[in-house]
Amino acid sequence: MSYFSNLVLPLFIFIIIMYAFFKKCDIFSEFITGASQGVKSTFNILPSLVALMVAIGMFKASGALDAVIAFLHPVTSFLHIPDEIVPLAVLRPLSGSGSLSVFQSILKENGPDSFIGRAASIIQGSAETTFYTIAVYYGSLKISNSRHTAFCSLIGDITGLLVGLTVTRIFFG
Amino acid sequence: MKLLFTFMIIISVLTSIITNKTTEITNSLIESSRSAVELSISLLGMMCFWSGIMQVAKSSGFTKILSRFFKPLTKLLFKNLSGEESDAITMNMSANFLGLGNAATPFGLNAMEKLHKSSLIKDTATDNMITFVVLNTCSIQLIPTTVAVLRQNAGSQNPMEILPAVIITSLITAFVALTVTKICNRLFSLKRSRK
């Protein structure tokens, strides 16, 4: 399995370059044109990243995140969401690095093959960092009105949480 | 987005006063802004590389061929896509699917730019943009490599055992999220909400 996943990236690059070679493209200069666009894009998204990461960092450091988790406790225990999973579920849409570190500590505390470990793995693997994606994609174009994007994505995240837990129960009892 | 940002900062500052964590919050401000810059610098190399590859793929016509394969899917999800837009979206979808997160971001930014060009109201997301962003937040990956590696490091007997579960969960999540998006796009259509 891991052989295949290691193969994907080099193969993808290989196919693109080979195809361009057969089409007699000026590969190098096209690459440079694209890459200089890449530099611009990276600096375009920097302000959005700063805004998001500062807001979330402050939110965590002030204790507000812990307050939210405590506040949600009656709801999460009603839905049979294990306490250990709640910080991961709350952090997943907010911060990629944050959810990664929570995920790793869950694996360390509960073991990767426990029910909690597996549930956490499934939840971590089936979602993206919602607000990072929204901030970066809209921020780079200076779009201030994202309408119902966040709402729909969060519905997705909540679905992922509930379905992930259910699927873990079905597969791993 | 502006609501979330404002809300978070206000709540954070107020909470820090109540919990007496004002030093922590100031430190986190400096820490986080530094992390954001460090993240951008670490992304810079891959962004350049994949943007370069994408340009090669575009000029050779590879993106057109790929987007022909994805046509049924893009026709289902998006409305009135131009050729350029559907090519860019297809590249992003393939990168996501193959687990090439570093490639997906520049491809995605490029697709957003193309979608933005045909939009009339420059500061507002169009229906296609919303569908695209929601699709990106759903992450339908063939092989969840990051999670598998972490599980292995934590000593799992069978790190990949979660693979079918992850695929099923991602598919259901994507289905739900995209259906809700389609409904919202119709309910909160641009023409009506512009009061």
Coordinates of all heavy atoms in Angstrom, one line a residue, chain A residues 137-138 147-149, chain B residues 74-82 85-86 89 111-112 114-116 118-119 124-136 178 181-182 185 190:
Chain A
Y137 N -8.5 30.7 0.0 CA -9.1 30.8 -1.3 C -9.8 32.2 -1.6 O -9.6 32.8 -2.6 CB -10.1 29.7 -1.6 CG -9.4 28.4 -2.0 CD1 -8.0 28.1 -1.7 CD2 -10.1 27.4 -2.6 CE1 -7.4 26.9 -2.0 CE2 -9.5 26.2 -3.0 CZ -8.1 26.0 -2.7 OH -7.5 24.8 -3.0
Y138 N -10.6 32.6 -0.6 CA -11.3 33.9 -0.8 C -10.3 35.1 -0.5 O -10.4 36.1 -1.2 CB -12.5 34.0 0.1 CG -13.6 33.1 -0.3 CD1 -14.2 32.2 0.6 CD2 -14.1 33.1 -1.6 CE1 -15.3 31.4 0.2 CE2 -15.1 32.3 -2.0 CZ -15.7 31.4 -1.1 OH -16.7 30.6 -1.5
R147 N -20.8 34.4 1.5 CA -22.1 33.9 1.6 C -22.3 32.6 2.5 O -21.8 32.7 3.6 CB -22.7 33.7 0.2 CG -22.9 35.0 -0.6 CD -23.1 34.7 -2.1 NE -24.3 34.0 -2.4 CZ -24.4 33.2 -3.5 NH1 -23.4 33.1 -4.4 NH2 -25.5 32.6 -3.7
H148 N -22.8 31.5 1.9 CA -23.0 30.4 2.8 C -21.9 29.3 2.7 O -22.1 28.2 3.1 CB -24.3 29.7 2.4 CG -24.6 29.6 0.9 ND1 -25.2 30.6 0.2 CD2 -24.2 28.7 0.1 CE1 -25.3 30.2 -1.0 NE2 -24.6 29.1 -1.2
T149 N -20.7 29.7 2.3 CA -19.6 28.8 2.2 C -19.3 28.1 3.5 O -19.3 26.9 3.7 CB -18.3 29.4 1.7 OG1 -18.6 30.2 0.6 CG2 -17.3 28.4 1.3
Chain B
T74 N -17.9 17.3 -13.2 CA -17.9 18.7 -13.2 C -19.3 19.3 -13.7 O -19.8 20.3 -13.2 CB -16.8 19.4 -14.0 OG1 -16.7 18.8 -15.3 CG2 -15.5 19.2 -13.3
K75 N -19.8 18.6 -14.7 CA -21.1 19.0 -15.2 C -22.2 18.9 -14.1 O -23.1 19.7 -14.0 CB -21.6 18.2 -16.4 CG -21.2 18.8 -17.7 CD -22.2 18.5 -18.8 CE -22.4 19.7 -19.7 NZ -21.3 20.1 -20.4
L76 N -22.1 17.9 -13.3 CA -23.1 17.6 -12.2 C -22.9 18.7 -11.1 O -23.9 19.2 -10.6 CB -22.8 16.2 -11.6 CG -23.7 15.8 -10.5 CD1 -25.1 15.6 -11.0 CD2 -23.2 14.5 -9.9
L77 N -21.7 19.1 -10.8 CA -21.5 19.9 -9.6 C -21.6 21.4 -10.0 O -22.0 22.2 -9.2 CB -20.1 19.6 -9.0 CG -19.9 18.3 -8.4 CD1 -18.5 18.1 -8.0 CD2 -20.8 18.2 -7.1
F78 N -21.1 21.8 -11.2 CA -21.0 23.2 -11.5 C -21.9 23.6 -12.6 O -22.3 22.8 -13.4 CB -19.6 23.5 -11.8 CG -18.6 23.2 -10.8 CD1 -17.8 22.1 -10.8 CD2 -18.3 24.1 -9.7 CE1 -16.9 21.8 -9.8 CE2 -17.4 23.9 -8.7 CZ -16.7 22.7 -8.7
K79 N -22.2 24.9 -12.6 CA -23.1 25.4 -13.7 C -22.3 26.3 -14.7 O -21.6 27.2 -14.2 CB -24.2 26.3 -13.1 CG -25.3 25.5 -12.5 CD -26.5 26.5 -12.3 CE -27.8 25.7 -12.2 NZ -27.9 24.8 -11.0
N80 N -22.5 26.1 -16.0 CA -22.0 27.0 -17.0 C -20.5 27.2 -16.8 O -20.0 28.3 -16.7 CB -22.6 28.4 -16.9 CG -24.1 28.3 -17.1 OD1 -24.6 27.5 -17.8 ND2 -24.8 29.2 -16.4
L81 N -19.7 26.1 -16.8 CA -18.3 26.3 -16.7 C -17.6 26.5 -18.1 O -17.9 25.8 -19.0 CB -17.6 25.0 -16.1 CG -17.6 24.8 -14.6 CD1 -16.8 23.6 -14.3 CD2 -17.1 26.1 -13.9
S82 N -16.7 27.5 -18.2 CA -16.0 27.6 -19.4 C -14.9 26.6 -19.4 O -14.6 25.9 -18.4 CB -15.3 29.0 -19.4 OG -14.2 29.1 -18.7
E85 N -12.1 27.2 -16.9 CA -12.5 26.9 -15.6 C -12.5 25.5 -15.2 O -12.0 25.0 -14.2 CB -13.8 27.6 -15.3 CG -13.8 29.1 -15.3 CD -15.2 29.6 -15.3 OE1 -16.2 28.9 -15.5 OE2 -15.4 30.9 -15.2
S86 N -13.1 24.7 -16.2 CA -13.2 23.3 -15.9 C -11.9 22.6 -15.9 O -11.6 21.6 -15.1 CB -14.2 22.6 -16.8 OG -13.6 22.0 -17.9
I89 N -10.3 23.4 -12.5 CA -11.0 22.7 -11.4 C -10.6 21.2 -11.4 O -10.3 20.6 -10.4 CB -12.5 22.8 -11.5 CG1 -12.9 24.3 -11.2 CG2 -13.3 21.8 -10.7 CD1 -14.4 24.5 -11.4
A111 N -7.8 27.9 -10.0 CA -9.2 27.6 -10.4 C -10.0 28.8 -9.9 O -10.9 29.3 -10.6 CB -9.6 26.3 -9.9
M112 N -9.8 29.2 -8.6 CA -10.6 30.3 -8.0 C -10.4 31.6 -8.9 O -11.4 32.3 -9.1 CB -10.1 30.6 -6.6 CG -10.6 29.6 -5.6 SD -12.4 29.5 -5.4 CE -12.7 30.9 -4.3
K114 N -9.8 31.8 -12.0 CA -10.5 31.7 -13.3 C -12.0 31.9 -13.0 O -12.7 32.5 -13.8 CB -10.3 30.3 -13.9 CG -8.9 30.0 -14.3 CD -8.6 30.6 -15.7 CE -7.3 30.4 -16.3 NZ -6.1 30.5 -15.4
L115 N -12.5 31.3 -11.9 CA -13.9 31.5 -11.6 C -14.3 32.9 -11.3 O -15.3 33.4 -11.6 CB -14.3 30.6 -10.4 CG -14.4 29.1 -10.7 CD1 -14.5 28.3 -9.4 CD2 -15.5 28.7 -11.6
H116 N -13.3 33.6 -10.7 CA -13.5 35.0 -10.3 C -13.6 35.9 -11.5 O -14.3 36.9 -11.5 CB -12.3 35.4 -9.4 CG -12.6 36.7 -8.7 ND1 -11.6 37.7 -8.6 CD2 -13.7 37.2 -8.1 CE1 -12.1 38.7 -7.9 NE2 -13.4 38.5 -7.6
S118 N -15.0 35.4 -14.4 CA -16.3 35.5 -15.0 C -17.4 36.0 -14.0 O -18.5 36.0 -14.4 CB -16.7 34.2 -15.6 OG -16.6 33.2 -14.6
S119 N -17.0 36.4 -12.8 CA -18.0 36.9 -11.8 C -18.2 38.3 -12.0 O -17.3 39.1 -12.3 CB -17.5 36.6 -10.4 OG -17.8 37.6 -9.6
T124 N -17.9 39.2 -4.0 CA -18.8 38.2 -3.5 C -18.5 36.9 -4.2 O -18.2 36.8 -5.3 CB -20.2 38.6 -3.8 OG1 -20.5 39.9 -3.2 CG2 -21.2 37.6 -3.2
A125 N -18.7 35.8 -3.4 CA -18.5 34.5 -4.0 C -19.6 34.1 -4.9 O -20.8 34.3 -4.5 CB -18.4 33.5 -2.8
T126 N -19.3 33.5 -6.0 CA -20.3 33.0 -6.9 C -20.7 31.6 -6.5 O -20.0 30.9 -5.7 CB -19.9 33.0 -8.4 OG1 -18.7 32.1 -8.4 CG2 -19.5 34.3 -8.9
D127 N -21.8 31.1 -7.0 CA -22.3 29.7 -6.7 C -21.2 28.7 -7.0 O -20.9 27.8 -6.2 CB -23.5 29.4 -7.5 CG -24.8 30.1 -7.0 OD1 -24.6 30.9 -6.0 OD2 -25.8 29.9 -7.6
N128 N -20.6 28.8 -8.2 CA -19.5 27.9 -8.5 C -18.3 27.9 -7.6 O -17.8 26.9 -7.2 CB -19.0 28.1 -10.0 CG -20.0 27.5 -11.0 OD1 -20.8 26.6 -10.7 ND2 -19.9 28.0 -12.2
M129 N -18.0 29.1 -7.1 CA -16.9 29.3 -6.2 C -17.2 28.6 -4.9 O -16.4 27.9 -4.3 CB -16.7 30.7 -5.9 CG -15.9 31.5 -6.9 SD -15.5 33.1 -6.2 CE -15.2 34.0 -7.7
I130 N -18.4 28.7 -4.4 CA -18.8 28.1 -3.2 C -18.8 26.6 -3.3 O -18.2 25.9 -2.4 CB -20.2 28.6 -2.7 CG1 -20.2 30.1 -2.5 CG2 -20.7 27.9 -1.5 CD1 -21.6 30.7 -2.1
T131 N -19.3 26.1 -4.4 CA -19.3 24.6 -4.6 C -17.9 24.2 -4.6 O -17.5 23.1 -4.0 CB -20.0 24.3 -5.9 OG1 -21.2 24.9 -6.0 CG2 -20.1 22.8 -6.1
F132 N -17.0 24.9 -5.3 CA -15.6 24.5 -5.4 C -14.9 24.5 -4.0 O -14.2 23.6 -3.7 CB -14.9 25.5 -6.3 CG -13.4 25.1 -6.6 CD1 -13.1 23.9 -7.2 CD2 -12.4 25.9 -6.1 CE1 -11.8 23.6 -7.4 CE2 -11.1 25.6 -6.3 CZ -10.8 24.4 -7.0
V133 N -15.1 25.6 -3.2 CA -14.5 25.6 -1.9 C -15.0 24.5 -1.0 O -14.2 23.8 -0.3 CB -14.7 27.0 -1.2 CG1 -14.1 27.0 0.2 CG2 -14.0 28.1 -2.0
V134 N -16.3 24.3 -1.0 CA -16.9 23.2 -0.2 C -16.3 21.9 -0.6 O -16.0 21.1 0.2 CB -18.4 23.2 -0.3 CG1 -19.0 22.0 0.4 CG2 -19.0 24.5 0.3
L135 N -16.2 21.7 -1.9 CA -15.6 20.4 -2.4 C -14.2 20.2 -1.9 O -13.8 19.1 -1.5 CB -15.6 20.5 -4.0 CG -15.0 19.2 -4.7 CD1 -15.9 18.0 -4.4 CD2 -14.9 19.5 -6.2
N136 N -13.4 21.4 -1.8 CA -12.1 21.3 -1.3 C -12.0 21.0 0.2 O -11.1 20.3 0.6 CB -11.3 22.6 -1.6 CG -10.5 22.5 -2.9 OD1 -9.4 22.1 -2.8 ND2 -11.1 22.8 -4.0
L178 N -22.2 18.8 -0.4 CA -22.5 19.3 -1.8 C -24.0 19.5 -2.0 O -24.4 20.4 -2.7 CB -21.8 18.5 -2.8 CG -20.3 18.6 -2.8 CD1 -19.7 17.5 -3.7 CD2 -19.9 20.0 -3.3
T181 N -25.0 22.5 -0.3 CA -24.5 23.7 -1.1 C -25.5 23.9 -2.2 O -25.8 25.1 -2.5 CB -23.1 23.4 -1.6 OG1 -22.3 23.0 -0.5 CG2 -22.5 24.6 -2.2
K182 N -25.9 22.9 -2.9 CA -26.8 23.1 -4.1 C -28.1 23.7 -3.6 O -28.6 24.6 -4.2 CB -27.1 21.7 -4.7 CG -26.2 21.4 -5.9 CD -27.0 21.2 -7.1 CE -26.2 21.0 -8.4 NZ -25.0 21.7 -8.6
N185 N -27.4 27.3 -2.6 CA -27.2 28.2 -3.8 C -28.5 28.6 -4.4 O -28.6 29.7 -4.9 CB -26.4 27.4 -4.9 CG -24.9 27.4 -4.6 OD1 -24.4 28.2 -3.7 ND2 -24.1 26.6 -5.2
L190 N -27.9 34.8 -5.6 CA -27.3 36.2 -5.6 C -28.3 37.2 -6.0 O -28.3 38.3 -5.4 CB -26.2 36.2 -6.6 CG -24.8 35.9 -6.0 CD1 -23.8 35.9 -7.1 CD2 -24.4 36.9 -4.9

